[in-house]
Amino acid sequence: MCAVHQPNLFPRLTTLAKLFAADTWIVLDDVQFTRRDYQHRTRLAALTDPDRTRWLSIPTHLPQGRQTIIKDALIAYPASARRRTEAVIRQEYRTSPHWPALQTALEPVWAAFDTGRTAAVAETSTRVLLDLLGWNGHVLTASGLPARPERSERLADLTAAAGAGTYLCGTGGMTYLDPAPFTARGIAIAPFLPPANGIWASARRVTALWALAHLGPSGLAARLRAPHHQPGLARNRSLTWLAHGGGQPSTCGG
């Protein structure tokens, strides 16, 4: 199973859970950088109250203006950006009993600021969180794989290049995905459907760091693996229907 997703700075729990459910994450690093997305920013939640949030952003310079692709985006003043990012995260989560483990694990993220590239920091932040959860999957980079330019064709080509038989798609992606290129390659489509209760109530808005600080790495990993807690996939009948060119199942909207 393969997931394709842009590098996100300390990704939201829904994003992290989707990658955790996949065997391969293809880092979509060669599409246009979007300032309103999560490539250079994340929403932190207070440890004691996930509804109390604030944005944390890496100041980013786009050498080609709005046409700059993600992997070419540059950090403005990397040294100060590193100090501020590290300080703000420490301020939010240092009172967690799990902070010592998190603090150690985050060291590669701070080191990634030395590259001067926003995508390197974002990708590293995601890899670190996946490592904390004990994920044993593989990471590939879209810019290094052959794929056609059209959106759905490209996702199908990337999935095939990864050697995967199933494409794991978020609910947002299901609104535009054309199943035909996947059908042509014999690839199934699995919609990723996260729950909405408990720790998932804020999962679409705030960084997964909150859940890790709240539950600890082993506690969160257990939630993701447990059948009664883990995010769901649409039933096989819906997947088969999609793979053969049917319309969008009602369970996969938005």
Side-chain angles (χ1 to χ4, degrees):
M1 190 175 291
C2 172
V4 181
H5 206 281
Q6 299 166 5
N8 281 185
L9 180 64
F10 295 112
R12 295 165 293 166
L13 182 56
T14 48
T15 300
L16 190 68
K18 184 179 77 168
L19 301 181
F20 183 80
D23 302 298
T24 300
W25 169 32
I26 297 179
V27 183
L28 195 61
D29 65 335
D30 56 356
V31 295
Q32 184 176 322
F33 182 94
T34 306
R35 288 196 180 277
R36 293 186 178 182
D37 211 330
Y38 293 88
Q39 297 146 18
H40 71 307
R41 64 178 187 165
T42 190
R43 185 183 277 119
L44 302 178
L47 185 61
T48 57
D49 181 6
D51 291 327
R52 184 159 56 88
T53 66
R54 62 167 165 166
W55 284 104
L56 172 63
S57 301
I58 296 177
T60 298
H61 169 63
L62 304 181
Q64 289 79 45
R66 294 179 61 184
Q67 301 305 312
T68 303
I69 60 176
I70 292 172
K71 67 186 182 72
D72 293 337
L74 302 177
I75 302 171
Y77 311 107
S80 61
R82 168 181 174 164
R83 288 193 298 270
R84 180 177 181 275
T85 303
E86 187 175 359
V88 170
I89 289 176
R90 184 190 304 112
Q91 180 184 21
E92 288 290 351
Y93 301 117
R94 66 185 176 185
T95 59
S96 164
H98 307 289
W99 174 246
L102 289 175
Q103 184 178 32
T104 300
L106 293 176
E107 286 299 326
V109 182
W110 315 141
F113 277 86
D114 293 340
T115 67
R117 297 188 176 274
T118 301
V121 176
E123 180 182 337
T124 303
S125 75
T126 303
R127 285 176 178 260
V128 160
L129 301 192
L130 288 170
D131 287 345
L132 277 169
L133 295 174
W135 184 67
N136 295 316
H138 303 283
V139 180
L140 300 174
T141 304
S143 58
L145 299 173
R148 291 167 289 179
E150 192 277 327
R151 186 157 52 178
S152 293
E153 289 179 345
R154 186 155 195 260
L155 293 173
D157 291 349
L158 290 173
T159 302
T166 301
Y167 172 64
L168 185 57
C169 185
T171 52
M174 292 304 300
T175 62
Y176 66 76
L177 200 70
D178 177 5
F182 295 87
T183 302
R185 284 187 168 274
I187 297 171
I189 301 170
F192 181 75
L193 307 171
N197 302 321
I199 62 170
W200 300 98
S202 60
R204 293 184 184 278
R205 297 185 297 110
V206 305
T207 173
L209 276 173
W210 175 83
L212 280 162
H214 187 66
L215 298 172
S218 60
L220 181 56
R223 293 286 186 95
L224 294 180
R225 293 190 179 102
H228 60 289
H229 281 298
Q230 69 182 30
L233 304 178
R235 297 191 180 278
N236 288 338
R237 183 172 60 182
S238 296
L239 301 186
T240 302
W241 189 48
L242 273 170
H244 284 83
Q248 180 181 316
S250 60
T251 56
C252 304

